[in-house]
Amino acid sequence: MIEKNLLSRNGCLLDALMAISSAPGHVVFIVDDTKELLDVLNAERIREMLAAGHSIDEPLSLFIGNHCPSVDEKGVIDGDEGRFACLPVVDSGRRVVGCYKTKTHKAIPLTEPLLGIKEFGYLAEACLSGWISSGGHYIGRFEQSFADYCGAKHGVAVANGTVALHLALLALDIGPGDEVIVPDLTFAATINAVLYTGATPVIVDIDDSWCIDPDAVRAAITSRTRAVIPVHIYGQACDMDALMAMAREHGLAVIEDCAEAHGAECSGRRVGSIGDIGCFSFFGNKIITTGEGGMCTTSFPELETKMRILRDHGMSRTEKYKHAVIGYNYRMTNLQAAIGVAQVEKIEQILMERSSIETTYRYQLSDFVELVFQQDFSNRKRVVWLMSLLVPEQQRDSLIDSLKMRNIDSRPFFCPLSRMDLYRGYAHNCRYSVEVANRGINLPTFPKVDVLAVTNAFKACIKPTGRAAIPLN
Ligand SMILES: *Cc1c(COP(=O)(O)O)cnc(C)c1O
């Protein structure tokens, strides 16, 4: 049955791609006329060739021979088996005589949404109803059920998390001349939204929760400071008790960036219900998803009304086509909201599964005293978005590369804003965030992930040194 894995060297990349699609294990062995092994290819390798600028009609002979793991007749593997679902078994003359199934072949993505029949059912219903734009009953249902979940009075569904942040800033009348304090360790959307308004972002350091440091916020407050955007990073709630007290004292607005922390809590209140406005993302890799999507939550009816008007072209809510302000089209579709309603119904299950994945990771990696996991704080309840940890700085990038060689996706922490030319000028001293970002890695986290496959690969890439983690100084 190895015939389906064999491909003559005379073809082109397209021939290989077609053969790969029907070959067992989606791997082909390139051979010459005597069945002597020349190369092993799968779709990932073809993709790499195309990404490197080659075209699909180039002859295979151009690529042959630079990567060719195989197995001898005794079962001894020569080369890195990690990238392929199966490898050629070769005889002493390197002729292919069989096919060996490898164990570590399955590609593991960083994350996968948990979508099922419920999402599909609601989506189909929304489709068939004809309400596929921003009318339709799923929008209101999604807004209310998600706001209820967060413990906020109102939800305003929007097109994505970035425009949720922009809408929140606009509703609070933040603009040129104002300063808005943001943490250094975040996704760029947080600061970009501030820049859209013409306000000046002020970037401050994080603390050992990896969230914005309340002391750094206090030190950055000036007479122009209007708002602070605490980002609940990697599922960790910020110290909202300290931040809210400070905001009240100085008359600052608080916009929570909750894009990575649906369901996290501080002092018994869910994020999105603590500050003036909470901003959520439902992008495909977030805790719950609508494909693209976002929501602003608030318990202030005047902020809710303002956000609804600005979201809908600035149109008067009583007189159609009368515009009193320059608005935006930041609406979500009923199709997305249909998926969102189903996701809210299972958010507890999703959070539980993610949390148990983290528990398994921590157990499996408990031999490594040099690793630093996220901390838990007595006044906060963390949720798990992506398994997040710090590894020794000099090993971080090689670990990501080695995992990739084994078809396992992982990613480094966000690049601190203060380390990018675009934003550097807005930054205060941000020592911790730079150190955390240089050591941080996210591992695959989604309900069906094979944690052991990841931790085994992790252990094959780095060995415990027995030396304790270097504390953040
Ligand atoms: C994902 C994310 C956003 C932006 O959300 P989108 O829906 O992708 O626009 C904003 N802030 C943080 C911290 C995020 O992780």
Side-chain angles (χ1 to χ4, degrees):
M1 265 315 284
I2 57 166
E3 297 308 318
K4 282 196 145 188
N5 289 102
L6 297 182
L7 184 69
S8 149
R9 66 182 301 171
N10 300 324
C12 65
L13 282 185
L14 180 60
D15 297 320
L17 199 58
M18 285 165 62
I20 285 165
S21 72
S22 60
H26 300 296
V27 177
V28 292
F29 314 142
I30 311 298
V31 291
D32 69 8
D33 298 339
T34 65
K35 289 198 183 173
E36 189 177 323
L37 179 66
L38 300 170
D39 208 344
V40 180
L41 292 180
N42 61 5
E44 191 194 344
R45 280 204 63 212
I46 305 272
R47 190 161 59 236
E48 283 169 9
M49 292 169 190
L50 297 176
H54 294 287
S55 72
I56 197 82
D57 55 1
E58 284 183 55
L60 278 176
S61 51
L62 273 180
F63 305 98
I64 280 170
N66 46 22
H67 188 294
C68 191
S70 61
V71 184
D72 71 15
E73 286 172 292
K74 295 196 195 77
V76 180
I77 298 169
D78 173 24
D80 188 356
E81 65 169 312
R83 300 190 70 181
F84 301 100
C86 55
L87 291 178
V89 179
V90 294
D91 65 15
S92 55
R94 289 198 59 77
R95 276 183 298 272
V96 178
V97 294
C99 179
Y100 170 89
K101 269 199 187 138
T102 58
K103 293 170 204 75
T104 55
H105 66 278
K106 198 170 177 300
I108 301 181
L110 187 67
T111 167
E112 256 176 21
L114 184 72
L115 299 172
I117 199 75
K118 193 173 237 183
E119 283 80 2
F120 188 67
Y122 292 172
L123 180 60
E125 201 273 318
C127 249
L128 294 172
S129 77
W131 293 97
I132 58 168
S133 292
S134 45
H137 68 95
Y138 282 108
I139 298 276
R141 265 177 76 184
F142 182 41
E143 289 179 334
Q144 204 48 57
S145 65
F146 190 68
D148 285 349
Y149 174 76
C150 296
K153 288 214 177 79
H154 314 283
V156 179
V158 293
N160 57 62
T162 308
V163 303
L165 288 162
H166 188 203
L167 197 62
L169 289 157
L170 292 168
L172 290 160
D173 292 319
I174 285 161
D178 298 333
E179 289 177 359
V180 178
I181 301 173
V182 300
D184 194 28
L185 184 67
T186 184
F187 180 58
T190 315
I191 190 169
N192 286 344
V194 176
L195 291 165
Y196 299 161
T197 67
T200 305
V202 176
I203 302 167
V204 303
D205 208 354
I206 57 171
D207 62 18
D208 55 1
S209 69
W210 309 346
C211 292
I212 197 164
D213 177 3
D215 291 333
V217 173
R218 183 180 293 281
I221 293 173
T222 70
S223 58
R224 292 165 172 259
T225 308
R226 287 284 319 282
V228 54
I229 310 184
V231 179
H232 307 301
I233 196 93
Y234 301 128
Q236 177 81 275
C238 296
D239 185 355
M240 294 305 291
D241 297 340
L243 291 165
M244 293 309 292
M246 198 183 314
R248 250 176 253 120
E249 183 188 330
H250 293 272
L252 310 181
V254 177
I255 299 170
E256 297 175 75
D257 184 336
C258 312
E260 305 178 1
H262 316 59
E265 294 176 19
C266 185
S267 295
R269 296 174 69 182
R270 289 221 167 103
V271 299
S273 72
I274 309 170
D276 297 278
I277 301 176
C279 299
F280 289 86
S281 166
F282 306 112
F283 184 66
N285 66 12
K286 303 292 162 111
I287 291 170
I288 60 169
T289 184
T290 59
E292 293 275 3
M295 198 180 298
C296 296
T297 51
T298 186
S299 293
F300 295 102
E302 57 296 350
L303 289 177
E304 182 221 4
T305 306
K306 232 162 148 180
M307 289 194 286
R308 289 197 185 284
I309 291 170
L310 287 165
R311 177 186 68 172
D312 197 7
H313 301 285
M315 200 152 25
S316 159
R317 304 203 74 208
T318 46
E319 293 179 279
K320 225 170 164 57
Y321 304 115
K322 290 274 174 65
H323 300 253
V325 289
I326 300 171
Y328 302 80
N329 177 355
Y330 279 175
R331 293 177 308 233
M332 173 182 270
T333 67
N334 197 42
L335 301 176
Q336 291 163 301
I339 297 174
V341 169
Q343 289 270 286
V344 175
E345 288 174 10
K346 56 166 91 150
I347 186 167
E348 298 288 5
Q349 177 206 342
I350 291 174
L351 288 171
M352 249 161 54
E353 291 190 31
R354 286 181 179 267
S355 165
S356 85
I357 287 161
E358 186 196 57
T359 306
T360 312
Y361 266 122
R362 287 193 182 208
Y363 178 74
Q364 289 297 328
L365 295 176
S366 54
D367 286 346
F368 289 83
V369 290
E370 57 270 70
L371 304 181
V372 180
F373 297 110
Q374 272 175 300
Q375 280 190 53
D376 289 303
F377 297 84
S378 57
N379 64 337
R380 316 185 217 176
K381 193 175 139 238
R382 213 161 48 77
V383 293
V384 176
W385 174 42
L386 297 173
M387 175 67 196
S388 306
L389 67 158
L390 310 187
V391 301
E393 183 173 339
Q394 53 309 346
Q395 291 180 326
R396 201 267 311 266
D397 292 346
S398 62
L399 175 61
I400 291 174
D401 290 344
S402 315
L403 292 174
K404 186 167 170 46
M405 287 290 289
R406 289 172 168 74
N407 253 330
I408 297 170
D409 201 15
S410 63
R411 70 182 197 194
F413 274 17
F414 298 118
C415 178
L417 300 175
S418 64
R419 286 294 145 130
M420 293 184 262
D421 287 339
L422 192 56
Y423 310 118
R424 203 184 295 276
Y426 303 114
H428 284 212
N429 182 4
C430 293
R431 280 191 316 153
Y432 294 155
S433 58
V434 172
E435 204 178 320
V436 167
N438 285 341
R439 287 162 62 179
I441 181 172
N442 297 122
L443 298 176
T445 310
F446 52 94
K448 276 180 270 165
V449 69
D450 181 353
V451 175
L452 252 65
V454 180
T455 53
N456 286 340
F458 189 104
K459 290 172 187 171
C461 302
I462 59 176
K463 300 280 172 236
T465 60
R467 265 174 276 126
I470 308 161
L472 297 176
N473 41 51

